[in-house]
Amino acid sequence: MNQYLLGYDVGSSSVKACIIDAKTGTTIASGQSPSEEMAMHAAQAGWAEQDPAMWWDHAVKALQHAVSKAQISSRDIKAIGISYQMHGLVCVDKNQNVLRPSIIWCDSRAVEIGKQAFHELGETWCLQHLLNSPGNFTASKLRWVKVFEPEVYDRIHKVMLPGDYLAMKLTGETVTTRSGLSEGMFWDYEQNAASKKLLTQYGISEKLLADVVPTFGVQGKVKRDIAELLNLQEGTPVSYRAGDQPNNAFSLNVLNPGETAATAGTSGVIYSVTDKNAYDMKSRVNAFIHVNDEQHARRNGILLCVNGTGIQNSWLRKQAQAGGALLSYEQINSIAASAPVGSDGLTVLPFGNGAERVLEDKNINGSIHGLNFNRHSQAHLFRAAQEGIVYALRYGFDALKEMGVSSTVIRAGNANMFLSPLFREAFVNTTRARLELYDTDGAKGAALGAGVGAGLFGSFSDAFKSLKIIRSEEPTAELSEMYEQSYMHWSMLLKRQLQQQHG
């Protein structure tokens, strides 16, 4: 009897669906919708919104694409897992109708709200209880809605994260996880419960929070009309959900203290697991509950995020088209590799996608520096862009080290910017850590999580028996020194830019 698992990965660029064999853990087929990138609406500078209905539409199409490729019966899918873009706010009424577009992760409108709460609640209290500043996270975005859209706020029945919304569409249940509440900044680590003090500060009723279900386990079952739409069995369980970065770590079997995962998609992330309630005094990196956290075995993930990563590469690609023809990313990588380390002094600050937590919630926008019309070519610009992303990650990597979180090995999926040889070279020689690339991605991780949650895998080790390393790369002394000099130039320029714009 065939048994398959479905994993969804709801990103801000696309929705991916992965079908894996529940017996072997191997991928049968994957689908993605749309083929390029989903729309992101910015009515004002620093804003970023998406329509949740768009996610659902592409989730339907992505599954159809995957099933068509797999040539299987989707009725043999036994469980569903969901990975999703973190920190987004979805508001629904009593009839589960969406009340406004989702305010997504890279939206900066609530920065000042979070700063004010950090001051008024007390920085020490926030760091000890929330492990973060309230910052620009989901709770602060909800406060923004309460202040500036009171007519919307008054109609809210429940607030959710993007993955909670997709699960609601499948099952009709409005539920979330402890990990989800922590990423929304609703969780008090000292009280091990929703933070009444933060909710009171923001004037938000705890009744608006969705009920909590375990990360692994039956969280709801596919309802009849959706089963008919997707050709699934009615009652198929949704048995796992997690934000994209905890899920990426899970997909790479990064579950224990000291282990580290990375991604370089729309945003760039380094995510390290710890067994402590650790925090950064400046909230440049942020702690959240990891997927395998248990009462007797604490597991938190320390997340370093750079918003402007793949989105910067995508922007450059669109600007570089000639005669309407886009260069492929492979062509861009090849062109970039012809320029030397340091790009002959051309420097890019990749911060053009909203306020950056690693910059203490400052928004300095993306910028290009040192451009010389007689020396620099397209190759220099492409290379400087990729180096700038790596240097931004290194800037945050140093903040992790200040917390005592040090990584000598970093695992990543063989995808997105890690497909670029130049990016990999710059990454290993700037962080001075070995990079291991694996044949996995977020959608596959979600499918594996579904198998664990539904009991089709007896353990985490059973789920990861098919995980294969594709390649590993090591830093070299000569290249590390060259990149270190280039990074020091980049970091001095960043410091100067921060001083000019923010004093």
Side-chain angles (χ1 to χ4, degrees), residues 246-276:
N247 175 73
N248 178 66
F250 172 73
S251 75
L252 293 160
N253 198 19
V254 170
L255 298 169
N256 300 308
E259 296 177 342
T260 300
T263 56
T266 302
S267 63
V269 167
I270 295 176
Y271 183 99
S272 293
V273 178
T274 179
D275 57 1
K276 299 177 176 61

Side-chain angles (χ1 to χ4, degrees), residues 7 21 33 36 64 101 106 198 263 266 298 306 323 347 351 402 421 472 481:
D21 188 319
S33 184
E36 285 293 325
Q64 291 169 343
C106 56
L198 179 66
T263 56
T266 302
R298 178 176 295 151
V306 174
T347 305
F351 302 116
E402 291 175 21
S472 64
E481 182 57 33

Side-chain angles (χ1 to χ4, degrees), residues 41-45 47-49 109:
H41 181 61
Q44 296 187 32
W47 288 24
E49 298 182 344
R109 73 185 71 184

Side-chain angles (χ1 to χ4, degrees), residues 219-295:
Q219 304 170 345
K221 296 182 179 180
V222 174
K223 54 185 183 173
R224 178 178 299 177
D225 60 329
I226 298 301
E228 292 174 354
L229 173 68
L230 301 178
N231 195 32
L232 298 171
Q233 293 279 6
E234 181 182 358
T236 302
V238 173
S239 51
Y240 167 83
R241 85 184 68 179
D244 52 10
Q245 300 311 324
N247 175 73
N248 178 66
F250 172 73
S251 75
L252 293 160
N253 198 19
V254 170
L255 298 169
N256 300 308
E259 296 177 342
T260 300
T263 56
T266 302
S267 63
V269 167
I270 295 176
Y271 183 99
S272 293
V273 178
T274 179
D275 57 1
K276 299 177 176 61
N277 281 343
Y279 54 83
D280 173 45
M281 292 297 293
K282 298 179 180 179
S283 288
R284 295 165 297 176
V285 297
N286 306 106
F288 307 107
I289 296 173
H290 195 32
V291 296
N292 62 329
D293 179 74
E294 297 182 17
Q295 188 172 0

Side-chain angles (χ1 to χ4, degrees), residues 126 128 187 195 229 306 407:
C126 288
Q128 290 179 347
W187 194 255
S195 175
L229 173 68
V306 174
S407 305

Side-chain angles (χ1 to χ4, degrees), residues 33 40 42 74 97 158 178 216 218 237 247 289 382 384 395 474:
S33 184
M40 190 183 297
S74 50
N97 296 312
K158 294 293 179 184
R178 290 191 311 122
F216 298 94
V218 178
N247 175 73
I289 296 173
F382 286 161
Y395 185 80
E474 303 267 2

Side-chain angles (χ1 to χ4, degrees), residues 298-320:
R298 178 176 295 151
R299 294 291 184 271
N300 290 331
I302 311 296
L303 186 153
L304 149 68
C305 179
V306 174
N307 294 351
T309 302
I311 191 171
Q312 175 182 261
N313 216 31
S314 172
W315 181 87
L316 271 178
R317 179 179 177 235
K318 292 172 184 173
Q319 309 315 311

